[in-house]
Amino acid sequence: MLFSCVNVIIRNTATLIRVKLNPCPSGKHFFRSFFLQRPPSSGGESSKEEGSRLDDDRVISVPGESPEDFPVGLQRELMPKHVAVILDGNRRWAWQRGLPSWAGHKAGAESLKQLVKLCCRWRIEVLTVYAFSLENWIRSKLEVEFIMNLFERMIKSELESCKRESIRVSVIGDSSKLPKSLQEVIHEAEESTKENSKLHLILAISYGGKHDIAQACKSIARKAKEGAIELEDINECLIEQELETKCTEYPYPDLLIRTSGELRVSNFLLWQLAYTEFFFAQKHWPDFGEDEFVEALTSFQQRQRRYGGQN
């Protein structure tokens, strides 16, 4: 098993370190020592010597990242930057087991925690999850109240973990419909994590794609009425800047995953999904784990994204 060299440069120093390499095919580990490369000095022999020693070594990992954490068969350079997920099938998962609906929602929350961890490990930059749609408000009052309480408890309980893991939390959707206590928890989570950069977790709660486009149009119309923009200024870029996904650097998902075997987008990110690759999983959301995520990512990496052009 061969690995390419990674040059690590620390200015004005040459430090002898010990590096643990990947296990060889036999499963045994081995160690090699080398000098970190000092920036070249004019005519200096020591820098050349250290550089040659460095080039002769095989370094296969970086601090904080173990190669074993990355799934075999996936290519790191082809990983999507933004993954969106429609979390479908919580209630059906519960009913199939003779359980009440709330048990499915709790199990679904645990699956979401696992997915967040996987995105952090595999360096996916944005994860947007369709947690509660505008249409979901028509469900029974008891179920809606349970879901709102679950959101509140989950955000509270995971906030410290998000801070520790450098996860930024944003919530998109019509927040005016949410309970006041949940609005306050969301505000605290967004404010306390806004500088985090490892993963941007976007929770779509009380969200609808049509509503998102409509509110963007209203905002643009308001600016036009006030004289801030002209008719000629209105284009796709301007609309994008008014959509709720303006909160992220990558507003367009590369991959959309929907669970539970349904083959529709259900009013989710209608503008943003224009060139997104779709993957439909048969399992209900609580059963969607690492193996299923790897399957979706593998499918994504096997596709050619042409954006209307040629191969």
Side-chain angles (χ1 to χ4, degrees):
M1 188 177 296
L2 299 178
F3 304 97
S4 60
C5 177
V6 176
N7 291 331
V8 183
I9 298 176
I10 299 180
R11 296 188 182 278
N12 302 321
T13 186
T15 307
L16 182 65
I17 65 173
R18 201 175 185 219
V19 178
K20 180 178 180 180
L21 299 184
N22 250 355
C24 60
S26 65
K28 297 179 180 179
H29 294 81
F30 57 98
F31 295 83
R32 295 186 68 178
S33 298
F34 65 95
F35 282 94
L36 292 179
Q37 185 177 14
R38 179 185 294 153
S41 57
S42 57
E45 294 297 320
S46 60
S47 295
K48 294 180 181 178
E49 180 181 354
E50 290 159 10
S52 65
R53 291 187 68 182
L54 179 67
D55 291 340
D56 186 54
D57 284 88
R58 296 293 180 264
V59 184
I60 49 71
S61 63
V62 296
E65 181 178 11
S66 169
E68 289 84 355
D69 286 343
F70 201 76
V72 175
L74 290 180
Q75 300 180 59
R76 193 179 301 278
E77 65 274 14
L78 296 181
M79 292 294 281
K81 291 183 180 295
H82 184 169
V83 173
V85 186
I86 299 176
L87 316 180
D88 194 20
N90 288 343
R91 297 194 298 177
R92 277 167 283 176
W93 180 91
W95 294 339
Q96 288 176 359
R97 289 159 176 76
L99 300 172
S101 298
W102 61 261
H105 295 310
K106 286 189 68 174
E110 294 303 314
S111 291
L112 178 56
K113 292 178 187 178
Q114 182 183 11
L115 184 64
V116 169
K117 291 178 181 178
L118 293 174
C119 287
C120 287
R121 278 171 49 192
W122 299 342
R123 304 300 174 91
I124 292 168
E125 299 191 43
V126 183
L127 173 64
T128 301
V129 296
Y130 202 12
F132 190 86
S133 71
L134 278 173
E135 291 78 13
N136 287 153
W137 286 107
I138 66 174
R139 294 187 179 183
S140 71
K141 182 180 179 181
L142 188 63
E143 183 179 2
V144 169
E145 287 180 351
F146 178 86
I147 293 173
M148 293 299 121
N149 289 331
L150 181 61
F151 288 150
E152 188 171 336
R153 293 196 307 271
M154 186 174 177
I155 294 173
K156 281 182 178 179
S157 65
E158 296 300 314
L159 185 54
E160 288 306 315
S161 176
C162 288
K163 293 177 183 178
R164 185 170 58 253
E165 299 297 328
S166 192
I167 298 171
R168 179 186 174 191
V169 178
S170 295
V171 176
I172 59 175
D174 185 0
S175 60
S176 66
K177 295 179 176 291
L178 303 179
K180 212 67 174 175
S181 58
L182 178 55
Q183 292 183 39
E184 293 172 357
V185 169
I186 289 172
H187 178 73
E188 179 186 356
E190 291 181 327
E191 285 298 309
S192 61
T193 63
K194 62 183 179 182
E195 302 300 327
N196 294 350
S197 58
K198 187 173 185 180
L199 170 69
H200 192 176
L201 173 61
I202 303 176
L203 304 173
I205 300 176
S206 188
Y207 177 86
K210 292 180 180 179
H211 177 270
D212 193 2
I213 296 171
Q215 66 83 26
C217 291
K218 286 181 181 179
S219 178
I220 292 171
R222 190 178 304 112
K223 292 178 180 179
K225 183 178 180 181
E226 295 170 351
I229 59 173
E230 300 294 331
L231 179 63
E232 293 73 20
D233 298 327
I234 301 175
N235 54 29
E236 292 182 12
C237 183
L238 184 62
I239 294 174
E240 176 188 318
Q241 294 170 10
E242 297 296 336
L243 294 171
E244 296 202 57
T245 45
K246 64 188 176 186
C247 63
T248 178
E249 182 181 356
Y250 304 105
Y252 296 107
D254 300 297
L255 171 65
L256 169 72
I257 299 170
R258 178 164 188 158
T259 56
S260 206
E262 302 293 353
L263 307 179
R264 54 181 178 268
V265 296
S266 296
N267 198 21
F268 182 47
L269 299 178
L270 297 181
W271 178 283
Q272 297 88 336
L273 294 178
Y275 280 101
T276 299
E277 298 293 330
F278 289 10
F279 182 86
F280 298 101
Q282 292 301 312
K283 288 190 175 181
H284 299 313
W285 172 243
D287 286 332
F288 189 90
E290 182 171 344
D291 291 343
E292 290 73 28
F293 194 28
V294 169
E295 182 184 1
L297 294 171
T298 300
S299 175
F300 171 81
Q301 293 193 351
Q302 293 171 345
R303 305 181 191 184
Q304 291 184 339
R305 306 185 72 193
R306 294 183 291 273
Y307 300 98
Q310 296 180 351
N311 291 352

